[in-house]
Amino acid sequence: MGQVLDRVPSTRRGQVVTLTGAAIAWIGLYWLNEHVWDWLLYGALGLHSTDRVTETIHFFLYDTAKITLLLIGIIFVVTVLRSFMSVERTRALLGGKREGVGNVMAAALGVITPFCSCSAVPAFIGFVAAGVPLGVTMSFLIASPMVNEIAIGMLFSLFGLKVTIVYIAAGLVVAIVAGWILGRVHAERWVEPFVFETRLGGQAIDPAAGLTMDQRIQMGVEEVATILRKIWPYLLVGIGLGAVIHGWVPTDFFTTYAGPGSTFGVLIAVAIGIPLYSNAAGIMPMVQALYEKGLPMGTLLAFMMAVVALSLPEMILLRRVLKPQLLALFIAVVGTGIVAIGYLFNYLLA
Amino acid sequence: MIIKVLGPGCTNCKNLERVTKEAVAELGIDARIEKVEDYAEIMGYGVMSTPALVIDETVVSSGRVPKVAEVRALISAAAPA
């Protein structure tokens, strides 16, 4: 029929110019955000920076712009980089790997493989049917949502390198150990039988292969739009709560009630975090404000991990392939791991 | 021509279905678009990254939502001359 693509792929030079222009615009906006609110609120409108309400509004406006800019930059870069990786490639890398080494590799690959929760079930079946051990598959499924690249980028921007490394290391350890334990207890009997009966077709194609740079950039732009459209209400509520906490909760309030020495702080944080379902990016402003008021980093990391790693929608999806016993064990093992991480880091980072 | 959209019903699966319908409408060809939501059937095509597009039983795209123009090109390429 002789149909041709509407868009002729742009030249390499055109791509470089576009991306450089976008990067400069991003840096300019980020810089502007540092100054524009002072100018607007205190200069043009003549409000006083000592006034608490004004200060709260300032915090809200500044943080909304800052977090949005960070998200746009991070999601775009992460999506373009991740488009070189795929679940299919990960499975090929994990095929034939034994437990132990396999768990470590699966957890690491879980971090860099592009993955949405709606692909959890096909990936699970695909891995198990291809002979990847169940425990190794679970390490992948735990690490994938828990150590999220967007969360890594946000943590690094807001809290610095040390906290970021701690977060990545802690998430990997939980995924490796939890997967290894689930492999040890011979959980195969708690997997829905149809998983083992599923025949894999032979014509799988690798979505990461054969994409043009133009398509990868396009994917990055679309992913930014999709995620922002999905999380903006959570983001605004999160930043709003963050602004209120920032302006109105007395300093060291949490140190008194949930400081590093607190017995139940981490447990309560994880218990609150499990039913909460949010993108890691959506809860970051709140985490930042809570940290400012003396809530220890271990408790906050535990809270974040509970929110992103154990969510009701994902549990409902996984129920299709896991029997209730294994699902309960999965939640218990991951939950315990997160609590342990929380206490450990409260102790280490105190 | 039978075009299948593979996916358990997530947002991207619905996007791919919409894009496919648009592409078919633009081409003005006679094609049946079917949704495949059953996991076993999806796996039968070897697809692990949803959503995926299958034209006459051949997987042509998986793990992303192509643009309308790209889907049009994929359909044209698969159509018997």
Side-chain angles (χ1 to χ4, degrees):
Chain A
M1 277 190 277
Q3 294 281 343
V4 286
L5 287 171
D6 288 339
R7 250 157 27 101
V8 182
S10 53
T11 58
R12 177 147 296 244
R13 184 146 167 248
Q15 287 163 357
V16 170
V17 169
T18 312
L19 289 180
T20 312
I24 291 170
W26 190 92
I27 293 166
L29 285 171
Y30 199 87
W31 175 85
L32 192 66
N33 187 45
E34 303 279 333
H35 302 89
V36 70
W37 307 115
D38 283 350
W39 175 82
L40 182 75
L41 292 177
Y42 308 140
L45 296 175
L47 298 166
H48 292 287
S49 62
T50 45
D51 178 55
R52 216 181 243 197
V53 177
T54 315
E55 230 266 311
T56 306
I57 294 170
H58 184 281
F59 183 91
F60 181 80
L61 293 172
Y62 170 76
D63 241 35
T64 304
K66 179 177 168 180
I67 303 272
T68 309
L69 278 171
L70 283 175
L71 280 175
I72 292 173
I74 293 166
I75 295 169
F76 178 78
V77 171
V78 162
T79 308
V80 172
L81 289 179
R82 266 201 317 202
S83 73
F84 291 94
M85 199 57 208
S86 68
V87 180
E88 283 73 6
R89 260 176 213 191
T90 295
R91 181 178 67 175
L93 288 169
L94 287 178
K97 288 287 176 304
R98 298 235 306 262
E99 280 168 343
V101 181
N103 293 103
V104 175
M105 273 185 67
L109 288 166
V111 178
I112 55 170
T113 307
F115 189 74
C116 85
S117 61
C118 58
S119 280
V121 169
F124 180 87
I125 300 174
F127 280 31
V128 172
V132 176
L134 186 63
V136 175
T137 306
M138 296 308 277
S139 280
F140 175 82
L141 283 183
I142 296 166
S144 201
M146 190 149 73
V147 189
N148 172 292
E149 299 97 321
I150 296 165
I152 292 174
M154 296 293 287
L155 272 179
F156 180 69
S157 315
L158 299 174
F159 296 105
L161 187 63
K162 190 175 158 195
V163 170
T164 312
I165 291 174
V166 162
Y167 165 76
I168 298 171
L172 288 177
V173 167
V174 169
I176 292 164
V177 174
W180 187 80
I181 292 173
L182 292 171
R184 282 279 72 96
V185 299
H186 300 290
E188 284 82 2
R189 60 202 140 126
W190 293 319
V191 171
E192 294 293 345
F194 87 91
V195 171
F196 298 109
E197 288 153 17
T198 303
R199 291 258 167 273
L200 282 179
Q203 48 169 323
I205 62 162
D206 180 355
L211 289 177
T212 63
M213 198 57 211
D214 238 25
Q215 283 171 322
R216 296 182 202 276
I217 292 171
Q218 185 72 41
M219 282 165 79
V221 173
E222 274 166 22
E223 188 70 5
V224 169
T226 309
I227 292 190
L228 285 184
R229 214 178 296 134
K230 198 160 68 185
I231 69 165
W232 73 265
Y234 303 95
L235 206 60
L236 286 186
V237 170
I239 297 171
L241 283 173
V244 169
I245 293 168
H246 170 82
W248 303 84
V249 173
T251 315
D252 293 340
F253 173 83
F254 290 106
T255 318
T256 319
Y257 297 101
S262 152
T263 320
F264 297 111
V266 175
L267 272 179
I268 295 169
V270 171
I272 296 173
I274 291 176
L276 271 184
Y277 175 52
S278 165
N279 193 295
I283 57 170
M284 213 54 90
M286 244 177 79
V287 167
Q288 191 191 11
L290 290 169
Y291 181 66
E292 222 172 79
K293 299 294 172 184
L295 209 62
M297 205 61 218
T299 306
L300 288 170
L301 282 180
F303 174 69
M304 235 179 71
M305 288 181 165
V307 170
V308 295
L310 296 169
S311 71
L312 194 59
E314 183 159 338
M315 294 305 129
I316 291 168
L317 276 175
L318 284 177
R319 174 66 193 88
R320 301 279 291 269
V321 283
L322 306 181
K323 289 186 178 164
Q325 295 94 322
L326 184 51
L327 199 58
L329 192 63
F330 172 79
I331 297 170
V333 171
V334 176
T336 310
I338 293 173
V339 169
I341 292 286
Y343 282 113
L344 181 69
F345 285 113
N346 276 350
Y347 175 75
L348 287 181
L349 296 172
Chain B
M1 179 179 274
I2 296 173
I3 301 174
K4 290 179 180 171
V5 176
L6 275 50
C10 51
T11 323
N12 278 338
C13 312
K14 284 171 196 136
N15 289 341
L16 180 61
E17 194 191 0
R18 182 174 46 72
V19 166
T20 307
K21 276 181 183 161
E22 270 178 49
V24 167
E26 283 177 18
L27 285 172
I29 54 162
D30 185 30
R32 199 165 81 226
I33 299 173
E34 288 175 6
K35 278 183 82 175
V36 178
E37 297 190 342
D38 179 60
Y39 284 118
E41 208 177 324
I42 292 173
M43 300 311 298
Y45 289 96
V47 166
M48 281 197 296
S49 313
T50 54
L53 193 66
V54 173
I55 300 176
D56 286 337
E57 300 305 298
T58 304
V59 183
V60 294
S61 147
S62 106
R64 63 197 186 91
V65 183
K67 307 260 95 186
V68 177
E70 198 187 334
V71 174
R72 238 170 36 210
L74 288 169
I75 293 172
S76 304

